[in-house]
Amino acid sequence: MCLGYCRLQNSVLRLWDKVFLKFFLCLFLVIGFSAGLLGLSSSALWAQTSISPKSKKVVHISVGFSVPPYVIASENRGAELDIVREAMALEGYNIIPFYVSNKRRNAEFLDGVTDGAITVSSQEELDGFYSKSYITYQNVAISLAANNLRVNRLTDLKGMRVVAFQTASKVLGQEFAPLITTFEFYQEVAKQREQITRLYAGDVDLVIGDKNILAWFVKNARFPTGIDTSQAIAIHQVFLPGHKYAVFREHELTLAFDRGVEILKESGRYDEILSEYGFNNSKNNDPS
């Protein structure tokens, strides 16, 4: 009996040794694999650190998504966006646009989501470093010519049904905002195609927006079935030119942007970009 017991004990010990050996072997493999992953992570971290100078050249910009031909978000281009992109490229920066509504454009910048914002008016007073004015919008009021509206000054808008672009009440000057209460109807919309649609449909009397943007939508936008887009449009020049600025968190970026724009103008490239999108010349789109 003792002999049988001893043999059993030896068998158990040998089995335990095998289990113990396998356990440590697995543990060793796990530790080695973890160390390998850590090594890869360290290598990746080192690689990121080694290219940090390039990563600092990337600048995220808040951009309005409904302002063609200045910005055509679906094609990641536009007269204004091309100017901004090329001006910053001349200074070694790569622009990455964040396409948002006008309201979100300012909010994204103020919340620290982006490094800068473009198409900003001086009345918006964002907390950052303003560039020199680099492009000028010309806001107008448009109506259906068949309605024969007499709109020669801002006060003629009283009693009208009006739809405008987002932030219009802030950027159209101190004389415009107080008039809003005298309108029969007033609304600001994010998508400016909707403005034209409602004008063609007879839902509003006047649409307010930049002449180039509104003309682009009249010519290029797709409208719902049943909307008569052949109706003639009347343009009412009742607003002063609106100079636009870029705003950045860092003063260095603002200075770089101003330098880049100046180079584009001196080389003639600024006017080339505008002409590519149907603008006549820079005199109508920039105050300098």
Side-chain angles (χ1 to χ4, degrees):
M1 176 181 289
C2 180
L3 181 60
Y5 174 80
C6 291
R7 288 179 178 175
L8 178 61
Q9 186 179 35
N10 290 336
S11 298
V12 170
L13 289 174
R14 284 195 298 271
L15 179 61
W16 171 252
D17 288 340
K18 291 180 180 179
V19 171
F20 192 75
L21 180 61
K22 289 182 179 180
F23 171 79
F24 271 96
L25 180 60
C26 291
L27 182 61
F28 176 80
L29 291 174
V30 169
I31 293 174
F33 180 74
S34 300
L37 287 178
L38 183 60
L40 288 174
S41 299
S42 299
S43 297
L45 181 60
W46 177 86
Q48 290 179 354
T49 303
S50 67
I51 63 172
S52 59
K54 291 185 179 179
S55 65
K56 288 182 180 179
K57 295 292 186 178
V58 174
V59 179
H60 298 90
I61 300 291
S62 296
V63 180
F65 63 64
S66 186
V67 288
Y70 298 96
V71 176
I72 306 173
S74 61
E75 300 176 18
N76 196 34
R77 65 183 184 92
E80 181 179 358
L81 184 57
D82 287 359
I83 288 170
V84 172
R85 180 179 283 124
E86 292 192 23
M88 292 300 281
L90 288 170
E91 293 292 315
Y93 294 95
N94 179 32
I95 293 298
I96 297 181
F98 278 46
Y99 296 110
V100 290
S101 66
N102 284 351
K103 284 186 176 180
R104 288 304 307 166
R105 179 200 66 201
N106 293 351
E108 295 284 335
F109 173 72
L110 293 173
D111 291 344
V113 177
T114 58
D115 305 305
I118 64 172
T119 326
V120 179
S121 300
S122 58
Q123 296 93 330
E124 294 175 86
E125 299 180 344
L126 298 185
D127 186 15
F129 296 96
Y130 274 66
S131 71
K132 296 177 182 178
S133 178
Y134 65 94
I135 200 164
T136 299
Y137 283 40
Q138 180 56 65
N139 288 303
V140 297
I142 67 171
S143 65
L144 294 179
N147 292 338
N148 294 315
L149 297 183
R150 293 186 177 181
V151 179
N152 300 310
R153 56 184 64 86
L154 279 177
T155 53
D156 292 337
L157 273 62
K158 292 181 179 179
M160 301 282 187
R161 298 170 299 164
V162 179
V163 63
F165 57 92
Q166 275 191 341
T167 71
S169 57
K170 292 184 178 180
V171 306
L172 288 179
Q174 296 180 350
E175 296 181 4
F176 178 75
L179 284 175
I180 292 176
T181 57
T182 69
F183 300 160
E184 179 181 335
F185 171 83
Y186 179 76
Q187 186 180 20
E188 296 180 0
V189 297
K191 296 182 178 180
Q192 296 194 52
R193 183 187 67 172
E194 182 182 340
Q195 293 177 277
I196 307 299
T197 301
R198 293 169 71 174
L199 179 66
Y200 279 143
D203 297 335
V204 297
D205 302 308
L206 289 167
V207 163
I208 293 175
D210 173 79
K211 65 178 182 180
N212 293 306
I213 296 173
L214 297 178
W216 191 94
F217 277 112
V218 167
K219 182 179 180 180
N220 299 288
R222 294 182 179 179
F223 295 96
T225 303
I227 296 294
D228 181 8
T229 60
S230 66
Q231 301 173 84
I233 298 292
I235 300 176
H236 311 281
Q237 300 274 4
V238 293
F239 297 101
L240 294 174
H243 305 316
K244 301 301 181 180
Y245 307 83
V247 182
F248 297 95
R249 298 187 175 284
E250 298 179 11
H251 192 212
E252 177 187 348
L253 293 177
T254 300
L255 295 176
F257 178 72
D258 285 338
R259 289 193 300 267
V261 171
E262 190 60 32
I263 294 172
L264 290 178
K265 290 180 178 178
E266 291 177 353
S267 67
R269 178 56 183 158
Y270 184 96
D271 286 334
E272 286 181 5
I273 294 173
L274 292 177
S275 65
E276 289 171 4
Y277 290 91
F279 292 83
N280 293 327
N281 55 59
S282 61
K283 293 181 180 179
N284 294 327
N285 296 285
D286 184 79
S288 60

